[in-house]
Amino acid sequence: MHQIKSNIYSKYTFFILLCLCTVVSCKKENAAIEVPVDAYFKAVDKITETMIHDIFSPPVASRIYMYPNVAAYEIMAQNNKKYSSLSTKIKSLESIPEAPKDVNLKVAALVAYIDVSKELIFKDNIVTTYADSLFTSWKKTNATEFTASKTYGLKVANRIKDWLHKDNYKETRSFAGYEVTTDNPGRWQPTPPAYMDGIEPHWNKIRTMVLDSAAQFKPKRHPEFSMEPNSAFYKELQEVYTVTNKIRKNGDTTEEVAIARFWDCNPYVSTSKGHLMIATKKITPGAHWMGITKIACKQQKLDFTAAVHANTITSIGIFDAFISCWDEKYRSNLIRPETLINNTIDKEWTPLLQTPPFPEYTSGHSVVSGASATILTHLFGDNFSFTDDTELPFGLPSRKFTSFNTAANEAAISRLYGGIHYRAAIDNGVVQGQNVGKHIINNLKLTN
């Protein structure tokens, strides 16, 4: 009799334990999916990694950063008391479909971010590998929630993809390239060592996001081209030659050399080895400022939505800044210092940095840095000290800054130290970028 009771008790205990295990297992499988902000940062990093691999031009790279961020932001801003939609504030963007109640907005936002990103790049294996790792983890945590969120995220992504394909990018792929002529001595000519054609001569035809037009913040005109020794233009040319020669005389360990290299951000650097031309892959100016945005977000410990907001506003500013700058570049068509110095002063002279393949005025890095610093100062405040370690993967040490504007000014003057821009392109470029940044801030009042 005792043995029978013992067996019954054992079976009953086993049954209870089995039920408890089942309940715990069900709870674990149906737990809400947690999406840390680092998952978003890593997605941005994967896009950067892909763009470096595929060697996208600076203007095109700005487009690749911007559209995925808009998709993610629009999802996170839904029914949010602090953030409002972009749909009435940037051109032609319609409201996205409302999210069903069973959707995890963070999951949907990352799904949309990744899917839109893949639409804009050539080889998506880096992004796809990361996405697969996320999706597998999320599905294991809560398959029902993941499926609903993914379905919604893809629905929003399709809406954003329809919108982005109407920005005139595809049409400009078939437009005529830059025409090289020699009838104007001040007109831009391709530069060594690769003598590449002018990059994106029709970028001013791309749809802006917030600017009324590409020419809205047309900068003050550069000094009139003249090779007269007393002319303002010739003095700027002579400054480039004098400054770079002095830097070279002082050696490679000077602060000016460190600044020039840190802010180089030229994805088109090429080196001749025998009969081969080998590209050295680097980030673009926009990528550098997206990296600074990430540093600021992490330093302030922003949550997922706030981080997406900061990255979205900054990427919109960078996108419109490139359109504004490229509009002026191919209006001015100004010759680079390297060409003039080699032809008229010193045929053996070379700049510290390799000259990028597009006209000189205004400085792209100056414009983008001015816009980015203005926006980031608005978001995080002035006198925001940070350590910029964006260039560490490229073998360059980090640099410390007391504010975003300090960093922007250093990025701008790096173009003189590098020998690739005249003074006017630098100074007027920063102002041009600041005007773009202020316009973005005044028109994208997204926080309530």
Side-chain angles (χ1 to χ4, degrees), residues 25-35 104 107-108 111 130-151:
S25 176
C26 288
K27 284 184 177 180
K28 184 177 180 181
E29 288 178 0
N30 293 315
I33 300 171
E34 296 292 333
V35 185
N104 182 318
V107 172
V111 168
Y130 176 60
D132 288 345
S133 67
L134 284 179
F135 295 172
T136 299
S137 174
W138 291 340
K139 192 172 183 180
K140 286 181 180 178
T141 301
N142 191 323
T144 302
E145 182 180 80
F146 168 65
T147 300
S149 303
K150 183 181 180 182
T151 299

Side-chain angles (χ1 to χ4, degrees), residues 51-64:
M51 288 194 287
I52 292 170
H53 182 273
D54 289 345
I55 315 180
F56 283 99
S57 71
V60 174
S62 73
R63 182 175 182 263
I64 298 172

